[in-house]
Amino acid sequence: MIQDSSNANPNSKNEISIRELITKIQLGLKYLIRNWKIIIAIGVFGGIIGACYAFLKKSQYVASCNFVLEDSKGGVMGQYAGLASLAGINLGGSSNEGIFEGDNIFALYQSRLMIEKTLLAKANFNGKDQLMIDRYIDFKDLRKSMQKDDKLKNLSFSGDPDHFNRQQDSIIKNIVIDINKNSLTVSKPDKKLNIIEVDTKFEDEAFAMEFNNKLVETVNDFYIKTKTKKTAHNVFILQKQVDSVKSVLNNSIGAVASALDAAPNANPSLLTLRVPSQKKQIDVQANTGIYSEMVKNLELGKITLRQETPLIQVIDKPAFPLDKVFLGKKKGFMIGFFIGAILTTVFFISKKLYHNILN
């Protein structure tokens, strides 16, 4: 009986394919070694390009600010909110829970609204007040290209942002995208701590400093106002109600005095003469009770507002001189060399594979 050779060694095909793979790799390496001069030459050319790029590229300055964010939740605030709820008043203690929890505050820093407000704010550069966006356009050399377009030639950003035209909104949008992509980094260095770090990186050292300070100030103010907006509104309403009740109480006290002055020596046997003053006294007593309760509710609301206001404490502000980031000539040469050598190697391998497939 003749034995089937294909069943005698079922791994023969795999062994052959492995041998072929090793042989092809060896041939490929020999092919690359034969062309090593070309690979090195193109790598050196890429290194020269990288060194030139490093020489021409402007240095950037990094401004860093870190602050601690502590949010009061529950505790005393929850107790006072519970007491107020017994009186039928909602102080809004839990209305904003979760608004900026987790990574949402990072998204707030990178939002167009916050960056736009920062860009449209004024800062002092060399003793002269200037809009941040105008300073950005100047050191980015965008003014030259804007002068070539009649619609952008005399464009100004000093007006009301709500009434900006299409060209103004378009420029702001592009600047915001560029800042988010290349210049702004918001991170949490330690996941266990509530310390947030904001880094801004620009070619203009003064702008990097002012933009960082103004952005942190703008976002943190917006954060606090939003977190306490409903509670602050409730306190405002309670204050108006207290003032209104106090005014009514004062009028009632004045009315009692007027009623007594109208009959200073009233005959005790004539009870009708004492009715007006007694009615006014009842109004005074009722308004006094209402006023007392309203004042209590107002104080509870103020305590809740203070407890709900988050604590934002800046730890380190950016200070001159800022850290300088630049691409050295040696580093630029090495990066260019490796990119050129790798791309050339890939080209030769692809060429070899192409010819093998045709053959």
Side-chain angles (χ1 to χ4, degrees):
M1 183 176 181
I2 300 174
Q3 186 178 3
D4 190 357
S5 60
S6 62
N7 295 328
N9 188 2
N11 296 325
S12 60
K13 292 184 179 180
N14 293 335
E15 291 176 357
I16 293 172
S17 62
I18 292 174
R19 289 197 196 97
E20 290 178 350
L21 178 62
I22 294 174
T23 303
K24 289 180 180 180
I25 291 175
Q26 291 175 345
L27 292 175
L29 291 175
K30 290 179 180 179
Y31 177 72
L32 293 176
I33 291 173
R34 287 198 302 268
N35 295 279
W36 70 271
K37 292 182 180 180
I38 299 176
I39 296 174
I40 296 297
I42 296 178
V44 171
F45 180 73
I48 294 173
I49 295 177
C52 293
Y53 175 79
F55 176 76
L56 297 175
K57 182 175 175 59
K58 295 181 179 179
S59 301
Q60 292 185 317
Y61 299 88
V62 180
S64 297
C65 176
N66 54 64
F67 57 90
V68 62
L69 174 62
E70 183 180 355
D71 219 347
S72 297
K73 297 179 180 179
V76 178
M77 181 190 71
Q79 296 174 11
Y80 283 111
L83 292 174
S85 65
L86 294 177
I89 295 178
N90 180 16
L91 298 178
S94 60
S95 60
N96 291 324
E97 289 182 0
I99 289 182
F100 296 122
E101 290 180 353
D103 295 336
N104 290 345
I105 193 168
F106 299 150
L108 181 63
Y109 265 94
Q110 296 170 339
S111 65
R112 174 178 174 174
L113 176 63
M114 296 295 101
I115 297 178
E116 180 180 342
K117 284 186 175 182
T118 304
L119 288 171
L120 297 178
K122 284 187 176 182
N124 189 276
F125 297 101
N126 300 323
K128 181 181 178 182
D129 289 339
Q130 186 180 14
L131 286 177
M132 304 281 285
I133 190 171
D134 290 335
R135 180 81 174 192
Y136 180 92
I137 291 173
D138 290 340
F139 76 79
K140 285 287 188 179
D141 294 330
L142 301 177
R143 194 74 65 183
K144 295 179 181 178
S145 59
M146 292 174 62
Q147 293 295 328
K148 298 177 182 178
D149 192 335
D150 293 337
K151 295 181 179 179
L152 306 178
K153 190 173 183 180
N154 298 317
L155 201 63
S156 174
F157 296 91
S158 58
D160 185 2
D162 294 333
H163 297 89
F164 279 173
N165 56 32
R166 185 183 183 88
Q167 288 75 25
Q168 290 169 313
D169 289 335
S170 177
I171 290 177
I172 292 176
K173 179 181 178 180
N174 291 332
I175 292 176
V176 170
I177 293 173
D178 180 66
I179 289 176
N180 272 324
K181 184 178 179 181
N182 302 312
S183 302
L184 176 62
T185 304
V186 185
S187 61
K188 220 173 183 181
D190 192 337
K191 301 296 182 181
K192 298 179 181 179
L193 302 178
N194 287 332
I195 296 178
I196 297 174
E197 183 173 317
V198 181
D199 297 332
T200 53
K201 180 173 62 176
F202 295 98
E203 294 85 354
D204 189 320
E205 185 178 17
F207 181 86
M209 164 84 78
E210 294 296 335
F211 185 86
N212 190 290
N213 290 332
K214 185 61 68 174
L215 179 63
V216 171
E217 178 186 347
T218 301
V219 174
N220 289 349
D221 287 346
F222 179 83
Y223 175 84
I224 293 174
K225 289 179 180 178
T226 305
K227 288 284 288 183
T228 60
K229 184 175 182 179
K230 187 172 183 179
T231 305
H233 181 66
N234 287 337
V235 170
F236 175 76
I237 294 176
L238 285 171
Q239 184 66 61
K240 291 188 67 175
Q241 292 176 343
V242 167
D243 294 339
S244 177
V245 173
K246 184 178 180 181
S247 177
V248 173
L249 178 60
N250 291 334
N251 292 334
S252 298
I253 295 173
V256 171
S258 299
L260 293 175
D261 290 340
N265 298 315
N267 189 342
S269 60
L270 299 176
L271 298 178
T272 55
L273 297 177
R274 290 185 291 175
V275 170
S277 63
Q278 289 177 346
K279 287 184 177 181
K280 299 300 181 182
Q281 288 176 355
I282 292 174
D283 292 340
V284 169
Q285 293 174 355
N287 290 327
T288 300
I290 295 173
Y291 179 73
S292 177
E293 292 299 322
M294 294 298 296
V295 169
K296 289 180 183 178
N297 293 332
L298 177 60
E299 292 304 316
L300 289 175
K302 290 180 178 179
I303 293 173
T304 302
L305 179 60
R306 287 195 296 269
Q307 292 292 332
E308 194 176 74
T309 303
L311 171 64
I312 299 179
Q313 180 62 51
V314 175
I315 301 174
D316 289 322
K317 286 186 176 181
F320 290 121
L322 299 180
D323 293 336
K324 192 175 182 180
V325 179
F326 61 95
L327 182 63
K329 296 178 183 177
K330 293 182 179 179
K331 188 176 181 180
F333 179 85
M334 295 301 295
I335 293 174
F337 176 83
F338 281 113
I339 292 176
I342 291 171
L343 290 178
T344 308
T345 301
V346 171
F347 169 77
F348 280 121
I349 292 175
S350 301
K351 182 180 178 181
K352 184 67 174 175
L353 291 174
Y354 176 74
H355 284 299
N356 289 341
I357 292 173
L358 291 181
N359 294 331

